Amino acid sequence: MQLAAIVISLVTTVIGTALAARAAAYIYKVVRTGQVDTTRFGQPAKRVKTVATEFIGHTRMNQWGVVGVAHWFVAVGFFSLVLTLVNAFGQLFDAEFVLPVIGGWLPWEIFTELIGTLTTLGIATLIVIRLLSLPSRSGRKSRFAGSIAWQAFYVEYTILGIGLCIMMLRGLEGALAGVESYDPAYLISYPIVAAFDGVAHGTLVNLIYVFAMLKICISFAWAITIGINPSMGVAWHRFLAFFNIYFKREEDGGTALGALRPMTSGGQPIDFEDPADDAVFGVSQVEHFSWKGILDFSTCTECGRCQSQCPAWNTGKPLSPKLLIMSLREHAFAKAPYLLAGGGKSMEGDEKATAEQLAGVSAEALAEAERPLIGTAEEGGVIDPDVLWSCTTCGACVEQCPVDIEHIDHIVDMRRYQVMIESSFPTEAGTMLKNLENKGNPWGMATKARLDWVKELKKETGIEVPVIGQDIEPAEVEYLYWVGCAGALEDRAKKTTKAFAELLHTAGVKFAILGKEESCTGDSARRLGNEFLFQMLGAQNVETLNAALEDAPVKRIVATCPHCFNTIANEYPQLGGHFEVIHHTQLLQHLIDEGKLIPVNPVEGLITYHDPCYLGRHNKVYSPPREIMDKVPGLRQQEMHRHKERGFCCGAGGARMWMEERIGKRINTERVDEALSLNPDIVSTACPFCLVMLSDSVNGKKNEGAAKEHLKVVDVAQLLLDSVKAQPVEPEPETVQA
């Protein structure tokens, strides 16, 4: 028995180690097929701290309650109990073997008992959760829909088997040591010790050989399996996740949200004024992604958290962030033999490798190399165009991913090639791009129309809004109010603009606007993929802002649109524009705290707040709008089920505001249905895009009789103005004397 156990264990170990090492080297080579990216190496101390924090604290996983706790024990057990594997090798040769130094140390014994048990219970919990959420039961609602089921179950049952072997060996060790009563060293396994009481010594020894062999063989059979399947993300993520988190985009450990990365070619930002002749615009081949992108694809564990939160997937559209990343991963690994042999295509489609270089490449890899990255099923495309254009860039996928995959950056990179090189994008978005080029706003309205709201406000209230440089000097201005295209030109959004201006006037804040000098920030153009147009608009706005605020003591800007707020604060620094930017809800909260705005008039009703993605997830501004509503008398707040970090998109981001929604349920309708389930009197938000999308859906529901007629959708600023503004005094009736 002992000889057989030793031979089987050692053979399995050698094969497993060799195959796993070969696969690890191969993964490294595949990742290296990506483009250079030198931005991932700064601040190593901070990066190490981020890895430690995310792993030990399980900061993302623990947002999911019991799943996070169970996974923590599984992850910690996988690494901390590796010494039990060493112990099992020793037991093959001597059944009474214990580890040197710590083998009989009580704290180590108790640690092994606790972690071994909790790891086993943890993986059992995860297995049950997976079984209860099978796609065959829940369909698209299952976050495991589309995941490679056999791989996930194999990994989970492997861990379960190892955990059970650890506990059986603990019990057999106690029985062999002659433990006859409860002992702290066998804190949990004592019932197993007691179960083997009276069993012959030789039998116990043979059972230890058997279970030590089982533990080793299960472990290295897993190594053999992942060695044969280098794209098995559900297994490899436990090693690759550390690297993926370390090399994440933000050196301070933040998620890859807010700003988009500059467009690069060969690892260097493209100079749009004088691009290199061989510059590659966007991503049209999997090898055009950076090495970090391919590491992202390789690390995906197929957990489906991104999928469960994605507004496109939740409304019946073909985009699942998980399936997109999985498709790119499988394509990258299938194409890798061709790339590693020197294969590749020029921008004109000419093959770079010689026939001799490609002679040893399999037919499957050569066929994979011919597939277009973006294309329909009939064209053999890796990613369907409907998948690519369904994304709202809301950031839910990036926010939830436990291994820090940067989905949005990859989606926008693919869009950039489609827009700038192929001119292939939804037709209606072309109108928006032309309007931006010709008129500086998505609606194509005349520049002078940007001041219409100023005239309306003066007519309604007598308040005059100054234009910086014309009516007021920059040195006198506390805040430059960036109105934005929607705030200046869209009727519903103009109500927010006027309300905010009136509130600033009431609070005595000295502010001014740019008026006709303001132009679109380029947010929609950039997220659609037209980086050149964004660069043009951005450079123009940065120049205008720098000139307007040149003499201002602080270049302080306030914006009512989260998209403008995000672009000016986070993306204009890439263009040389460094400004202090805040959102209007932040300023209003500050003014309330200072006592410059005092809400006194009750606004009665039940209110629910919709978090704009570019204010909340992208910029982590959650509290100010809620605190403002808290101060308004009469309002009763109730959160929708999906709110704050898990808020649900309105459907307008990622330039979707300018595209038709032809597949599945409308995203804004899904969001309004969630709001209506609370039976509110008011739906509030803090974004003009959200205001338009939610208003459209609410009006549709009213027409269908599915919403109360008095239900209104308003910006937080409008609510505050209603509460701050003095109510007109009704004249007393005249007394008639007899």
Side-chain angles (χ1 to χ4, degrees):
M1 175 62 74
Q2 183 182 24
L3 182 61
I6 291 172
V7 171
I8 293 170
S9 297
L10 293 182
V11 169
T12 307
T13 300
V14 170
I15 295 172
T17 303
L19 288 176
R22 185 187 70 168
Y26 184 69
I27 291 170
Y28 176 75
K29 290 179 183 177
V30 174
V31 169
R32 287 288 301 273
T33 62
Q35 297 297 302
V36 175
D37 185 351
T38 59
T39 65
R40 306 284 179 165
F41 302 95
Q43 300 291 334
K46 286 186 178 179
R47 291 181 180 276
V48 169
K49 181 182 177 183
T50 297
V51 173
T53 301
E54 290 200 21
F55 176 69
I56 297 172
H58 257 46
T59 51
R60 302 289 182 82
M61 294 292 296
N62 282 334
Q63 296 175 7
W64 290 71
V66 67
V67 175
V69 174
H71 190 276
W72 188 89
F73 284 111
V74 171
V76 170
F78 178 83
F79 292 102
S80 65
L81 294 178
V82 69
L83 288 178
T84 63
L85 185 61
V86 176
N87 197 73
F89 277 107
Q91 288 172 320
L92 290 176
F93 297 91
D94 178 3
E96 297 183 8
F97 175 83
V98 294
L99 291 169
V101 183
I102 64 170
W105 189 37
L106 184 60
W108 166 251
E109 303 281 309
I110 294 174
F111 176 82
T112 304
E113 290 275 315
L114 287 173
I115 298 298
T117 303
L118 292 171
T119 297
T120 306
L121 292 175
I123 199 64
T125 301
L126 296 180
I127 290 171
V128 170
I129 289 170
R130 188 177 293 273
L131 290 171
L132 292 175
S133 305
L134 287 175
S136 57
R137 295 170 180 264
S138 309
R140 284 176 67 97
K141 291 184 179 180
S142 169
R143 62 185 175 92
F144 303 116
S147 298
I148 304 173
W150 78 263
Q151 293 184 355
F153 279 117
Y154 176 75
V155 169
E156 289 175 343
Y157 284 117
T158 292
I159 297 169
L160 180 64
I162 292 171
L164 293 174
C165 285
I166 289 173
M167 299 313 294
M168 281 299 296
L169 283 169
R170 291 291 301 151
L172 289 166
E173 290 164 12
L176 192 63
V179 175
E180 295 180 352
S181 60
Y182 177 77
D183 189 317
Y186 300 93
L187 183 67
I188 299 168
S189 63
Y190 180 72
I192 303 174
V193 175
F196 285 105
D197 184 35
V199 175
H201 181 273
T203 303
L204 290 174
V205 168
N206 282 330
L207 284 172
I208 286 178
Y209 296 151
V210 169
F211 279 99
M213 178 189 69
L214 275 175
K215 183 179 186 325
I216 293 166
C217 287
I218 291 172
S219 299
F220 286 95
W222 178 79
I224 291 170
T225 304
I226 69 170
I228 296 171
N229 297 281
S231 65
M232 190 174 173
V234 70
W236 279 105
H237 86 277
R238 64 188 53 227
F239 305 113
L240 298 179
F242 295 104
F243 298 99
N244 211 50
I245 295 169
Y246 179 87
F247 291 117
K248 68 193 298 185
R249 192 178 83 180
E250 304 300 328
E251 294 175 348
D252 63 359
T255 50
L257 294 170
L260 284 174
R261 298 191 73 209
M263 194 167 167
T264 60
S265 177
Q268 296 299 319
I270 295 174
D271 180 358
F272 282 90
E273 293 183 2
D274 184 24
D277 293 337
D278 60 349
V280 177
F281 290 78
V283 169
S284 63
Q285 303 290 333
V286 73
E287 62 269 25
H288 292 166
F289 287 108
S290 72
W291 61 263
K292 174 56 168 64
I294 299 179
L295 180 59
D296 270 358
F297 311 153
S298 306
T299 307
C300 178
T301 184
E302 304 173 27
C303 65
R305 285 169 180 78
C306 57
Q307 179 174 287
S308 71
Q309 302 298 300
C310 177
W313 183 260
N314 274 281
T315 53
K317 295 167 183 62
L319 169 63
S320 155
K322 176 187 73 177
L323 298 181
L324 178 137
I325 296 296
M326 287 172 62
S327 296
L328 292 170
R329 178 188 68 201
E330 298 306 317
H331 175 59
F333 277 87
K335 189 178 179 179
Y338 162 80
L339 296 173
L340 293 172
K345 298 287 178 67
S346 67
M347 294 300 290
E348 292 75 28
D350 299 324
E351 178 57 61
K352 297 177 182 178
T354 63
E356 290 78 14
Q357 286 177 293
L358 300 179
V361 179
S362 68
E364 292 82 2
L366 291 172
E368 194 71 27
E370 296 300 319
R371 295 179 66 192
L373 189 66
I374 307 298
T376 61
E378 292 76 16
E379 296 166 335
V382 178
I383 304 297
D384 191 278
D386 285 334
V387 169
L388 185 67
W389 297 110
S390 291
C391 180
T392 67
T393 67
C394 70
C397 50
V398 179
E399 177 73 37
Q400 292 298 327
C401 182
V403 294
D404 283 301
I405 293 171
E406 299 163 3
H407 311 73
I408 293 177
D409 287 348
H410 306 321
I411 288 171
V412 172
D413 274 340
M414 290 187 283
R415 285 183 171 187
R416 284 167 168 167
Y417 180 84
Q418 294 300 304
V419 172
M420 301 182 70
I421 304 301
E422 297 290 337
S423 294
S424 176
F425 49 88
T427 308
E428 56 272 16
T431 304
M432 178 268 291
L433 293 177
K434 287 177 183 176
N435 288 335
L436 288 180
E437 289 179 28
N438 299 328
K439 297 291 186 179
N441 67 79
W443 289 277
M445 296 176 70
T447 303
K448 63 181 181 180
R450 286 187 176 273
L451 289 171
D452 286 351
W453 72 271
V454 176
K455 299 170 187 173
E456 293 168 14
L457 182 65
K458 183 178 180 181
K459 185 177 179 181
E460 294 165 9
T461 65
I463 297 172
E464 294 189 13
V465 176
V467 177
I468 198 166
Q470 294 181 20
D471 308 314
I472 191 171
E473 293 303 315
E476 302 175 52
V477 174
E478 293 178 69
Y479 291 94
L480 172 63
Y481 175 23
W482 184 275
V483 181
C485 299
L489 303 171
E490 206 283 328
D491 287 339
R492 285 164 290 189
K494 280 159 70 174
K495 294 178 181 178
T496 302
T497 305
K498 289 186 281 188
F500 181 57
E502 190 170 349
L503 286 166
L504 292 181
H505 177 79
T506 302
V509 175
K510 289 188 177 181
F511 72 101
I513 62 172
L514 286 175
K516 295 178 185 178
E517 295 298 311
E518 191 176 293
S519 185
C520 180
T521 59
D523 162 83
S524 291
R526 191 175 214 195
R527 278 149 187 80
L528 183 74
N530 195 329
E531 183 71 9
F532 177 77
L533 181 54
F534 164 76
Q535 295 277 336
M536 185 180 75
L537 291 167
Q540 175 187 323
N541 282 326
V542 167
E543 184 180 350
T544 301
L545 287 167
N546 280 333
L549 297 173
E550 186 177 7
D551 298 327
V554 180
K555 295 182 179 181
R556 190 179 289 130
I557 298 170
V558 61
T560 41
C561 176
H563 296 265
C564 297
F565 165 57
N566 177 70
T567 303
I568 299 171
N570 300 324
E571 296 185 335
Y572 279 6
Q574 299 170 7
L575 308 176
H578 300 275
F579 311 103
E580 182 183 320
V581 190
I582 62 171
H583 189 250
H584 75 290
T585 55
Q586 294 174 300
L587 179 54
L588 292 176
Q589 181 206 358
H590 176 67
L591 294 173
I592 291 172
D593 290 344
E594 284 194 332
K596 293 181 179 179
L597 290 175
I598 303 174
V600 289
N601 302 316
V603 179
E604 299 293 341
L606 177 66
I607 189 168
T608 189
Y609 175 72
H610 163 80
D611 284 286
C613 300
Y614 273 81
L615 183 63
R617 263 191 301 268
H618 281 274
N619 286 284
K620 306 296 180 280
V621 178
Y622 295 113
S623 298
R626 290 173 169 84
E627 291 185 18
I628 291 169
M629 291 184 289
D630 275 341
K631 297 289 172 52
V632 175
L635 284 180
R636 293 172 287 118
Q637 285 193 59
Q638 188 168 348
E639 296 283 10
M640 285 183 263
H641 176 64
R642 294 175 287 201
H643 64 280
K644 293 188 176 178
E645 289 85 356
R646 295 198 198 178
F648 196 79
C649 183
C650 74
R656 289 293 322 174
M657 178 85 168
W658 321 106
M659 296 182 236
E660 289 298 325
E661 215 171 322
R662 297 186 176 92
I663 304 173
K665 184 178 181 180
R666 292 183 67 87
I667 293 174
N668 58 337
T669 301
E670 170 77 5
R671 186 53 163 167
V672 165
D673 282 344
E674 185 174 359
L676 292 179
S677 68
L678 303 176
N679 194 29
D681 302 296
I682 306 168
V683 176
S684 67
T685 188
C687 169
F689 284 14
C690 297
L691 192 71
V692 169
M693 298 298 283
L694 299 177
S695 296
D696 283 348
S697 186
V698 165
N699 290 336
K701 293 291 182 182
K702 286 181 180 179
N703 292 336
E704 297 168 9
K708 297 183 289 192
E709 280 302 318
H710 70 269
L711 175 64
K712 58 184 180 180
V713 181
V714 295
D715 188 274
V716 172
Q718 293 170 263
L719 286 170
L720 182 59
L721 180 62
D722 286 344
S723 186
V724 167
K725 202 171 183 179
Q727 297 293 327
V729 179
E730 294 184 7
E732 294 183 8
E734 294 183 7
T735 304
V736 180
Q737 294 183 350

